[in-house]
Amino acid sequence: MACSSNTYRITIVGAGIIGLTTACTILKEYAANENLQLTILSEKFSPDTTGDISAGFWEPYGLNAVDERILRWAGYTYDIFLSEFFSTKAARAGIIKLPSYSLQGYNGQNIKDDETTKKPEFLKLVRHSHSLDQHELAMFDHLKPKSGFVMVSVAVEVRKYLPQLLRFLSEDSRVKFIKKKIHSLIELKDKADVVINCTGLASRDLVGDQTLRPARGQVLRVHAPWIKSVYTFDTEDGFGYVIPQGDTVVLGGTFQLNDWNTKPVASDTQKILRMCSKALPALEQIRHGKVQVGLRPYRDNGVRLEHEKTSIDMNVVHCYGHSGAGVTLSWGCAKDVVDIVKTLLPPKSKRQDNLLEHEKLWRLIPNFEYVVLKAKI
């Protein structure tokens, strides 16, 4: 494909976890291309994205199906996050490795008989997992689950992670940011050789995809420093979860399809506290917390990741519809998106280096606002 003035012009629309991981992957693959012009255009940037509200827990969640494609994306992303945890990035990027207990059924209810021993396919992707035996299930006897499993997973504090990606991207002179809302991708015609659509729920209007629907999520962030593991569980009120982050614990949640309300609902907050207190009774003491609401981009047909040659001769690569699994699939989807872009705009040979894979994707940039405290002896 011919490029204007021998310049590779790539525009990413959307600056959430999908858009920014895609941008970082582009910089990796086009490291030797000084003629790259990468534009990130978005109505919202961190801390105002849907991802900033999320608990950032790695697990394929809220999808209509977990197929081989989803597993491939999730596995690649898991490996990146885990390697970042064992690197200098962990603290500033908000990456935590922790055990996760998933409990199925409540008081012998809310579960089909054929699901009692069923292990999800994604367990084969993690470093360690096993089904809970009767002795382990007895720890949760107050819930009386019928089955469960534990795995080693990762929680990414997105409100810390996205700013670090942005800092890395902003250090590259080939990258520019535009804060703007567009109403049609046609507005970018002749302004980019390839447009990458990472707009999440906004794609419903932007490209007319009516299979996209909001899945409203309300969560409560509380101070509960004694909680060091993830817990997901069934209760008589529905499905709940408890997910620790750096200085807060996220209690959830709701998954309300076709609900566009972005304001907190008091009855939802009460329900969340009631469910989470069933699992961890000490949470009954919680009286205060920060209530947040986000709209997940649920798509009836699953994630859309494909190239489209539009009727007006635009090259668009779509990547949206991740529902509650945007963090979980992020780096894997970014890799596939950029593989498509490379067929349209072949990059120069990559510079050789001995960096670890996660360091090739992005690196910490010094932030002099951080204050180093020296211990008094």
Side-chain angles (χ1 to χ4, degrees), residues 219-234:
V219 298
L220 179 65
R221 292 180 185 272
V222 302
H223 181 67
W226 67 89
I227 298 175
K228 305 298 183 184
S229 300
V230 172
Y231 300 92
T232 66
F233 44 86
D234 290 317

mmCIF file of all heavy atoms in Angstrom, residues 219-234:
data_model
loop_
_atom_site.group_PDB
_atom_site.id
_atom_site.type_symbol
_atom_site.label_atom_id
_atom_site.label_comp_id
_atom_site.label_asym_id
_atom_site.label_seq_id
_atom_site.Cartn_x
_atom_site.Cartn_y
_atom_site.Cartn_z
ATOM 1 N N VAL A 219 -19.383 -0.754 41.124
ATOM 2 C CA VAL A 219 -18.479 -1.328 42.113
ATOM 3 C C VAL A 219 -18.323 -0.370 43.286
ATOM 4 O O VAL A 219 -18.668 0.815 43.199
ATOM 5 C CB VAL A 219 -17.085 -1.638 41.522
ATOM 6 C CG1 VAL A 219 -17.180 -2.664 40.411
ATOM 7 C CG2 VAL A 219 -16.393 -0.363 41.039
ATOM 8 N N LEU A 220 -17.772 -0.891 44.342
ATOM 9 C CA LEU A 220 -17.512 -0.114 45.546
ATOM 10 C C LEU A 220 -16.061 -0.330 45.950
ATOM 11 O O LEU A 220 -15.633 -1.468 46.147
ATOM 12 C CB LEU A 220 -18.460 -0.567 46.666
ATOM 13 C CG LEU A 220 -18.328 0.112 48.032
ATOM 14 C CD1 LEU A 220 -18.695 1.598 47.928
ATOM 15 C CD2 LEU A 220 -19.230 -0.580 49.053
ATOM 16 N N ARG A 221 -15.277 0.753 46.044
ATOM 17 C CA ARG A 221 -13.884 0.660 46.480
ATOM 18 C C ARG A 221 -13.828 1.003 47.962
ATOM 19 O O ARG A 221 -14.272 2.073 48.381
ATOM 20 C CB ARG A 221 -13.000 1.632 45.690
ATOM 21 C CG ARG A 221 -12.844 1.264 44.236
ATOM 22 C CD ARG A 221 -11.960 2.261 43.502
ATOM 23 N NE ARG A 221 -11.921 1.953 42.091
ATOM 24 C CZ ARG A 221 -11.051 1.115 41.521
ATOM 25 N NH1 ARG A 221 -10.126 0.530 42.276
ATOM 26 N NH2 ARG A 221 -11.091 0.876 40.230
ATOM 27 N N VAL A 222 -13.251 0.077 48.738
ATOM 28 C CA VAL A 222 -13.229 0.244 50.192
ATOM 29 C C VAL A 222 -11.822 0.015 50.733
ATOM 30 O O VAL A 222 -10.937 -0.512 50.048
ATOM 31 C CB VAL A 222 -14.206 -0.739 50.877
ATOM 32 C CG1 VAL A 222 -15.624 -0.536 50.363
ATOM 33 C CG2 VAL A 222 -13.772 -2.185 50.672
ATOM 34 N N HIS A 223 -11.632 0.418 51.982
ATOM 35 C CA HIS A 223 -10.377 0.161 52.686
ATOM 36 C C HIS A 223 -10.547 -1.132 53.472
ATOM 37 O O HIS A 223 -11.282 -1.182 54.456
ATOM 38 C CB HIS A 223 -10.051 1.327 53.626
ATOM 39 C CG HIS A 223 -8.770 1.152 54.381
ATOM 40 N ND1 HIS A 223 -7.537 1.160 53.759
ATOM 41 C CD2 HIS A 223 -8.519 0.973 55.704
ATOM 42 C CE1 HIS A 223 -6.583 0.999 54.661
ATOM 43 N NE2 HIS A 223 -7.154 0.880 55.848
ATOM 44 N N ALA A 224 -9.883 -2.177 53.020
ATOM 45 C CA ALA A 224 -9.970 -3.491 53.680
ATOM 46 C C ALA A 224 -8.626 -4.187 53.541
ATOM 47 O O ALA A 224 -8.491 -5.172 52.804
ATOM 48 C CB ALA A 224 -11.097 -4.320 53.067
ATOM 49 N N PRO A 225 -7.593 -3.682 54.225
ATOM 50 C CA PRO A 225 -6.217 -4.145 53.990
ATOM 51 C C PRO A 225 -5.940 -5.585 54.388
ATOM 52 O O PRO A 225 -4.891 -6.124 54.023
ATOM 53 C CB PRO A 225 -5.380 -3.164 54.820
ATOM 54 C CG PRO A 225 -6.312 -2.653 55.875
ATOM 55 C CD PRO A 225 -7.660 -2.607 55.226
ATOM 56 N N TRP A 226 -6.855 -6.222 55.105
ATOM 57 C CA TRP A 226 -6.624 -7.613 55.501
ATOM 58 C C TRP A 226 -6.905 -8.598 54.363
ATOM 59 O O TRP A 226 -6.547 -9.769 54.440
ATOM 60 C CB TRP A 226 -7.491 -7.961 56.719
ATOM 61 C CG TRP A 226 -8.966 -7.972 56.437
ATOM 62 C CD1 TRP A 226 -9.725 -9.027 56.006
ATOM 63 C CD2 TRP A 226 -9.869 -6.868 56.552
ATOM 64 N NE1 TRP A 226 -11.032 -8.653 55.852
ATOM 65 C CE2 TRP A 226 -11.157 -7.342 56.182
ATOM 66 C CE3 TRP A 226 -9.728 -5.533 56.941
ATOM 67 C CZ2 TRP A 226 -12.283 -6.512 56.187
ATOM 68 C CZ3 TRP A 226 -10.855 -4.728 56.944
ATOM 69 C CH2 TRP A 226 -12.109 -5.206 56.568
ATOM 70 N N ILE A 227 -7.539 -8.124 53.317
ATOM 71 C CA ILE A 227 -7.889 -9.008 52.204
ATOM 72 C C ILE A 227 -6.737 -9.051 51.206
ATOM 73 O O ILE A 227 -6.357 -8.024 50.633
ATOM 74 C CB ILE A 227 -9.184 -8.524 51.516
ATOM 75 C CG1 ILE A 227 -10.344 -8.563 52.514
ATOM 76 C CG2 ILE A 227 -9.502 -9.390 50.301
ATOM 77 C CD1 ILE A 227 -11.648 -8.003 51.979
ATOM 78 N N LYS A 228 -6.188 -10.232 50.980
ATOM 79 C CA LYS A 228 -5.005 -10.397 50.127
ATOM 80 C C LYS A 228 -5.252 -11.347 48.954
ATOM 81 O O LYS A 228 -4.324 -11.626 48.198
ATOM 82 C CB LYS A 228 -3.828 -10.933 50.960
ATOM 83 C CG LYS A 228 -3.485 -10.108 52.188
ATOM 84 C CD LYS A 228 -3.044 -8.695 51.830
ATOM 85 C CE LYS A 228 -2.633 -7.907 53.072
ATOM 86 N NZ LYS A 228 -2.280 -6.502 52.756
ATOM 87 N N SER A 229 -6.468 -11.848 48.806
ATOM 88 C CA SER A 229 -6.790 -12.769 47.721
ATOM 89 C C SER A 229 -8.049 -12.293 47.017
ATOM 90 O O SER A 229 -8.839 -11.518 47.574
ATOM 91 C CB SER A 229 -7.011 -14.196 48.246
ATOM 92 O OG SER A 229 -5.870 -14.690 48.899
ATOM 93 N N VAL A 230 -8.235 -12.789 45.805
ATOM 94 C CA VAL A 230 -9.472 -12.539 45.062
ATOM 95 C C VAL A 230 -10.486 -13.619 45.425
ATOM 96 O O VAL A 230 -10.127 -14.795 45.574
ATOM 97 C CB VAL A 230 -9.212 -12.552 43.546
ATOM 98 C CG1 VAL A 230 -10.518 -12.501 42.761
ATOM 99 C CG2 VAL A 230 -8.312 -11.384 43.143
ATOM 100 N N TYR A 231 -11.742 -13.213 45.536
ATOM 101 C CA TYR A 231 -12.825 -14.166 45.779
ATOM 102 C C TYR A 231 -13.969 -13.849 44.818
ATOM 103 O O TYR A 231 -14.423 -12.705 44.741
ATOM 104 C CB TYR A 231 -13.339 -14.072 47.216
ATOM 105 C CG TYR A 231 -12.281 -14.358 48.260
ATOM 106 C CD1 TYR A 231 -11.526 -13.314 48.800
ATOM 107 C CD2 TYR A 231 -12.018 -15.652 48.686
ATOM 108 C CE1 TYR A 231 -10.548 -13.557 49.742
ATOM 109 C CE2 TYR A 231 -11.037 -15.912 49.637
ATOM 110 C CZ TYR A 231 -10.304 -14.854 50.161
ATOM 111 O OH TYR A 231 -9.330 -15.105 51.093
ATOM 112 N N THR A 232 -14.409 -14.852 44.086
ATOM 113 C CA THR A 232 -15.632 -14.733 43.288
ATOM 114 C C THR A 232 -16.573 -15.822 43.761
ATOM 115 O O THR A 232 -16.134 -16.953 44.050
ATOM 116 C CB THR A 232 -15.345 -14.867 41.780
ATOM 117 O OG1 THR A 232 -14.888 -16.191 41.483
ATOM 118 C CG2 THR A 232 -14.292 -13.862 41.339
ATOM 119 N N PHE A 233 -17.866 -15.528 43.819
ATOM 120 C CA PHE A 233 -18.774 -16.448 44.510
ATOM 121 C C PHE A 233 -20.216 -16.200 44.105
ATOM 122 O O PHE A 233 -20.578 -15.134 43.606
ATOM 123 C CB PHE A 233 -18.630 -16.258 46.026
ATOM 124 C CG PHE A 233 -18.582 -14.813 46.442
ATOM 125 C CD1 PHE A 233 -19.738 -14.092 46.665
ATOM 126 C CD2 PHE A 233 -17.361 -14.157 46.555
ATOM 127 C CE1 PHE A 233 -19.702 -12.757 47.009
ATOM 128 C CE2 PHE A 233 -17.300 -12.810 46.895
ATOM 129 C CZ PHE A 233 -18.478 -12.107 47.126
ATOM 130 N N ASP A 234 -21.025 -17.213 44.331
ATOM 131 C CA ASP A 234 -22.468 -17.108 44.154
ATOM 132 C C ASP A 234 -23.123 -16.859 45.505
ATOM 133 O O ASP A 234 -22.668 -17.361 46.544
ATOM 134 C CB ASP A 234 -23.037 -18.406 43.570
ATOM 135 C CG ASP A 234 -22.624 -18.630 42.132
ATOM 136 O OD1 ASP A 234 -22.665 -17.661 41.352
ATOM 137 O OD2 ASP A 234 -22.248 -19.769 41.786
#
